[in-house]
Structures are given as C-alpha cells and as structure tokens.
Amino acid sequence: MQLPQPPVVAKPNVGLPLWLLAEVTYRCPLQCPYCSNPLDFAAQGRELTTAQWFKVMAEAREMGAAQIGFSGGEPLVRQDLAELIREARRLGYYTNLITSGIGLTEARIAEFKEAGLDHIQISFQASDEQVNNLLAGSKKAFAQKLAMAKAVKAHGYPMVLNFVTHRHNIDRIDQIIDLCLALEADFVELATCQFYGWAERNRAGLLPTRAQLERAEGITNEYRARLKAENHPCKLIFVTPDYYEERPKACMDGWAKLFLTITPDGTALPCHGARQMPIAFPNVKEQDLRHIWYDSFGFNVYRGYDWMPEPCRSCDEKEKDYGGCRCQAFMLTGDARNADPVCAKSPHHDLILAARQEAETATQRIEDLQFRNERNSRLIAKA
C-alpha cells in the first residue's frame, strides 16, 4: 500500500532531489580498478542500519524523490536488501538494483521481485572470460554473471547490461555487443571509463587512444543501423569519456539540482564522486534531508552561477554545462572552482591534452593496475 505524500514545495532556484542513489555498502567481492568508490573506502565509518535507511528513503520521498538506485560496492552483500526494496516500493519509488551479479541467485531474484523491485542492471568487465575475471579478481565472476543475466531475463525483468570500456577491452567492442545480443539484452550501456575514484588513479593504464575510441564508436553505430533495420529491440548507448570532448558535460545536470547520493555511513553528497572534495559534507545521522538539501554549505557551494570565476562567469554556455564537473576540476587543478579542464576554454585544458598524448604511448598491462580492494584502500588511507 502506497502512503499519501504531502505536497512538495521547492525553494526558489533549487531543484528537487528526484533521483536518490543509495550506496548501501562499500563492501564488494570484486576489485575492479576503475571503481568509482573513494580510494579510502576501507577507512569510512559504519554502515547505516536498516532503520536509518528507512528514514532516509522516507525523507527523500517526502521531498519529491521518485527513483532510487541501490548501489555500492556490491549491494547484494547487505542481507536486508529485500527489506530496503520492499520499503522503497511501499513509499512509492521506482526501484533499481545496480549489481555485479556476484551474490545473486534465482531465489534472491524471486525475493526481490516479490518485494517490488522494478529494474536490475548487471555489469560485466569484458566479453572475454579471462579478461573479465582478471579485472574482477575472481575466477568465477564471468560464469556467474552469464547465469544471472539469463535468470534476470527469465524472471521478466528488462535485460539491462553495463560494460565499462577502456584500453584493455574496447578493441573487442564487437564481441561485447554480440554477447549482449546473445543474452537478449534490451538496453546496453557501453560506458568508456570516466576518471574518478580508482579509475583516476589508474588512468594511464585505462584511457583508450583516440583511434581506439573512434573505431569502437564506429562499430557501435554499424550495429545500431543493423538493429534498426531488423526492428530489433536492443538499444545500444555509447558513452564517450570526458577526456576526448572539447566541452564539458552538465555534470549531474548541475550541482545539487537533481541527484542526491547517500553513502554507506550516511554522508550526503550531490554526486557519488564528491566525497573526494575538501568539503565537510553533512550526514543523515545528524541532520534531516530537507535541511541538508536546501540549507547545508556542501549542497549550496556550487549551486547556480554566482560562485563561478572566469572564464565560466561570462561564458554563454554556462547555463548549459554549469562550468562542467567540480570533482574533475578539483582532481586535475586542485581548485574545484576552476573551469573543468575538459573545456577547450579552460586555462587548464593542456592537462587533458597531455592525458590524451600519454594514452598514445601507454604500455601498462592489466596486471600492473592498482586494484580496488581493502588492502590497497587502507594503504592509501594511511599515506
């Protein structure tokens, strides 16, 4: 039974947190070297309890949140995941599970279905079993993913697959798409690495060359044309990395404008990458979401346009891209107020050009990447 919701009253010039990302845990059985989790995840605080997550979901729903994504880490390690899904459905959310598939079973899929889960997205590391398992850090990962992708489809869910592409798998984009078609995928996200978290640390070994990227996009377009001619239902989404753009994206559709992320320990963020920023973000254990969203410093510091220095302040594109990504600006320049270096107008655009050039000569093997695991995270936290 869905409870009646009170009317939502937005404050002037502040959007509603329509999309809630619930990062319910940083625990994960895999060790992908491009994970977006913070480098020091192993040193973060204790996870929110079931009751605390219920409170977060209720407060966000009262503010207008309509969609929730359960993510991590690997959300399947939470034994209360079905309870969280059931409560989200009761509150009226459209519910998404974003998972590696490791830890998923036929019984859990059925349990989630009964709880009201609307959508499951399964991620793969590669179309090749050896490469997939090497990147994941598990000899059983590929076989498990294949089995669970088929099981998700059999239970009536739309088949949504995600492949993070990079220099070690992008040359097999045709094999990746063939695998997706064999699994009867409805939607496929071919997302070239975006360099945050562990991916940024491994950028030299992950960023593809321009030639690799253009070839992969060309092959994807050939498949799109063929699928359209056959009236095939599969949709292929190709995501280009920021590093090969000349204008920045409107990151998260603007700082704290639409998206709200809650981390495992309750820290509230305007995007999942913001934890690396030198900002004391508020925590749901200490403040309610309405105050966090509308009044906290962390959620207001880069809202709108008044914070912008030049060249963004006078740019005729600022209402389209909001100056680009604040996290990327901080990572690359040390100052989050700077124009995103992806932008050709940025005085720091040379950093992007240098990264592209580095990709042309990089020789780093998969084995040389720094993998996302607790040991490496604790070492980073101590450094």
Side-chain angles (χ1 to χ4, degrees):
M1 176 181 173
Q2 182 175 328
L3 296 178
Q5 300 299 322
V8 176
V9 180
K11 292 193 176 183
N13 303 316
V14 178
L16 297 175
L18 298 178
W19 214 105
L20 172 64
L21 181 64
E23 292 185 323
V24 293
T25 184
Y26 283 145
R27 291 175 288 158
C28 184
L30 303 185
Q31 57 173 17
C32 306
Y34 46 74
C35 181
S36 63
N37 286 167
L39 297 174
D40 63 348
F41 72 85
Q44 303 297 339
R46 295 181 63 180
E47 294 176 5
L48 295 180
T49 65
T50 307
Q52 288 170 325
W53 274 115
F54 280 12
K55 181 174 180 288
V56 166
M57 291 190 294
E59 289 181 355
R61 186 77 182 104
E62 289 172 0
M63 294 169 61
Q67 183 164 317
I68 186 169
F70 293 103
S71 180
E74 175 47 68
L76 291 170
V77 305
R78 289 278 303 216
Q79 296 306 302
D80 61 352
L81 184 55
E83 293 179 67
L84 297 177
I85 292 168
R86 185 173 288 106
E87 178 65 6
R89 166 51 69 91
R90 187 188 72 83
L91 291 168
Y93 282 99
Y94 182 89
T95 54
N96 302 263
L97 174 60
I98 304 163
T99 176
S100 68
I102 307 302
L104 198 58
T105 63
E106 290 267 7
R108 294 195 82 180
I109 295 172
E111 182 183 24
F112 297 154
K113 188 84 171 179
E114 186 276 329
L117 183 63
D118 293 299
H119 176 283
I120 300 176
Q121 175 185 295
I122 294 181
S123 64
F124 278 76
Q125 281 71 31
S127 59
D128 174 86
E129 182 170 13
Q130 182 179 2
V131 175
N132 186 99
N133 292 346
L134 187 59
L135 286 164
S138 168
K139 294 180 179 179
K140 299 179 180 179
F142 188 74
Q144 168 71 7
K145 289 170 182 289
L146 284 179
M148 288 304 101
K150 294 173 183 176
V152 165
K153 184 80 173 182
H155 278 263
Y157 284 101
M159 171 61 67
V160 183
L161 301 179
N162 172 268
F163 279 80
V164 177
T165 59
H166 43 79
R167 67 182 301 114
H168 298 291
N169 67 3
I170 198 168
D171 290 332
R172 298 179 178 177
I173 196 78
D174 51 346
Q175 296 174 37
I176 289 174
I177 297 173
D178 285 339
L179 174 62
C180 294
L181 295 176
L183 290 170
E184 301 181 70
D186 298 288
F187 297 92
V188 178
E189 184 177 34
L190 304 165
T192 316
C193 258
Q194 302 291 349
F195 292 94
Y196 304 92
W198 293 82
E200 193 275 333
R201 195 171 187 87
N202 287 305
R203 189 187 71 197
L206 293 174
L207 184 65
T209 65
R210 182 180 290 279
Q212 283 183 301
L213 186 68
E214 290 177 349
R215 176 181 176 274
E217 188 166 16
I219 291 173
T220 302
N221 286 334
E222 290 173 5
Y223 271 89
R224 283 172 172 161
R226 194 189 87 194
L227 294 173
K228 183 178 180 180
E230 296 173 357
N231 200 28
H232 196 286
C234 183
K235 305 297 182 187
L236 302 178
I237 303 165
F238 189 91
V239 182
T240 304
D242 290 1
Y243 278 59
Y244 286 102
E245 301 287 358
E246 297 301 319
R247 288 290 181 271
K249 63 179 181 293
C251 191
M252 310 307 287
D253 199 37
W255 182 272
K257 186 179 177 185
L258 183 67
F259 293 91
L260 170 63
T261 296
I262 307 298
T263 69
D265 70 355
T267 301
L269 303 172
C271 75
H272 62 273
R275 190 148 198 172
Q276 67 192 312
M277 305 273 278
I279 296 173
F281 286 104
N283 193 292
V284 299
K285 296 174 185 174
E286 300 160 0
Q287 299 173 337
D288 66 78
L289 274 185
R290 185 171 290 275
H291 172 78
I292 288 171
W293 182 259
Y294 288 114
D295 302 317
S296 70
F297 172 80
F299 277 69
N300 281 288
V301 60
Y302 300 120
R303 265 188 176 134
Y305 313 103
D306 291 344
W307 59 270
M308 291 181 174
E310 295 295 347
C312 295
R313 180 176 287 271
S314 59
C315 180
D316 59 4
E317 296 182 65
K318 69 181 181 183
E319 294 184 13
K320 180 170 66 176
D321 60 33
Y322 308 102
C325 177
R326 297 304 88 222
C327 300
Q328 196 154 254
F330 173 71
M331 282 190 303
L332 293 174
T333 74
D335 188 342
R337 295 171 301 171
N338 285 330
D340 187 335
V342 164
C343 184
K345 299 179 182 181
S346 167
H348 302 285
H349 188 58
D350 61 301
L351 297 172
I352 297 296
L353 300 180
R356 295 177 192 171
Q357 186 59 42
E358 181 184 42
E360 296 297 327
T361 57
T363 58
Q364 195 170 19
R365 303 174 304 162
I366 292 178
E367 296 87 344
D368 298 328
L369 298 172
Q370 188 163 20
F371 288 89
R372 176 240 189 254
N373 54 48
E374 289 221 8
R375 177 183 175 277
N376 285 337
S377 180
R378 292 191 186 283
L379 289 174
I380 292 168
K382 290 178 181 179

